[in-house]
Amino acid sequence: MPKESLKDKLDGDELDLGLNNLSTVPVKELSLLPKARRLDLSCNTITTLPDAFCDLTHLVKIDFSKNQLTELPVRFGALSNLEHLDLLGNQLTILPISFCHLNKLKWLDLKDNPLKEDLKKAAGDCLDEKQCKTCAKNVITYMKHINSELERRKQKELQKKRGKY
């Protein structure tokens, strides 16, 4: 997608790339548009995101609803300014551990994804604004818990190895 056409779609701080039949995200072009803080990529055919997407730290709102995402990049938590994330209607079963670093996330929709049971329970229904805000808070808390469990296991393994020497 040429940079000019992306600039043409920029309205204030909002870039609407929804319904564009995109199968990949034009990360390189997006990185040249730091004014685009709100990104709509809904209703496309995106299945994966490149790791470089996580460098677009200027983004505060992302709409990936109604795509075919099966996973998010491991470094997704690097999107430190993200406040609003719509992942409705994808193919996600889990979220990357780094999701626990999205401290500014205030709104999250994970409806209509084949989420693993624990994550689905943490996410809740998200049928209205209040539930989507609760979803964001609960999922971040859940991911922080998972992260601390993994850290504890790593520490135990290290202690075992040290004990052998």
Side-chain angles (χ1 to χ4, degrees):
M1 183 169 264
K3 189 176 87 172
E4 289 73 34
S5 64
L6 273 191
K7 261 189 179 169
D8 294 343
K9 293 176 183 273
L10 187 63
D11 182 12
D13 69 347
E14 213 160 315
L15 183 60
D16 186 354
L17 299 177
L19 292 165
N20 268 290
N21 250 357
L22 296 176
S23 57
T24 58
V25 178
V27 175
K28 191 175 177 183
E29 293 84 353
L30 289 171
S31 67
L32 300 173
L33 292 173
K35 285 181 183 171
R37 295 170 39 86
R38 301 172 188 282
L39 178 61
D40 184 349
L41 285 161
S42 63
C43 303
N44 282 295
T45 58
I46 301 165
T47 54
T48 58
L49 298 174
D51 189 55
F53 184 83
C54 302
D55 297 328
L56 301 175
T57 56
H58 59 280
L59 295 173
V60 294
K61 181 179 180 180
I62 305 171
D63 186 348
F64 279 122
S65 63
K66 298 179 183 169
N67 273 281
Q68 295 157 19
L69 289 170
T70 55
E71 64 182 356
L72 298 176
V74 172
R75 292 188 321 111
F76 197 81
L79 295 168
S80 55
N81 291 306
L82 195 58
E83 296 175 7
H84 184 112
L85 179 60
D86 194 339
L87 292 166
L88 166 95
N90 280 279
Q91 296 301 311
L92 298 168
T93 55
I94 59 169
L95 296 173
I97 295 298
S98 67
F99 211 86
C100 71
H101 300 298
L102 297 175
N103 295 321
K104 292 184 179 181
L105 194 67
K106 294 179 182 77
W107 194 98
L108 175 64
D109 190 348
L110 287 167
K111 266 192 319 297
D112 299 333
N113 278 283
L115 300 173
K116 290 202 172 175
E117 205 50 46
D118 287 352
L119 179 57
K120 187 177 186 172
K121 189 176 174 185
D125 291 331
C126 194
L127 299 173
D128 59 29
E129 186 77 16
K130 185 179 179 191
Q131 286 182 349
C132 289
K133 286 180 177 182
T134 301
C135 176
K137 188 173 71 174
N138 290 350
V139 168
I140 297 296
T141 301
Y142 171 77
M143 295 309 289
K144 284 183 179 182
H145 173 72
I146 298 290
N147 188 44
S148 62
E149 283 295 312
L150 287 173
E151 287 300 318
R152 233 175 276 148
R153 285 185 199 154
K154 281 182 194 173
Q155 291 302 317
K156 278 186 180 180
E157 289 299 313
L158 278 173
Q159 285 173 347
K160 280 184 187 176
K161 285 181 182 176
R162 286 184 187 138
K164 288 181 183 176
Y165 294 107

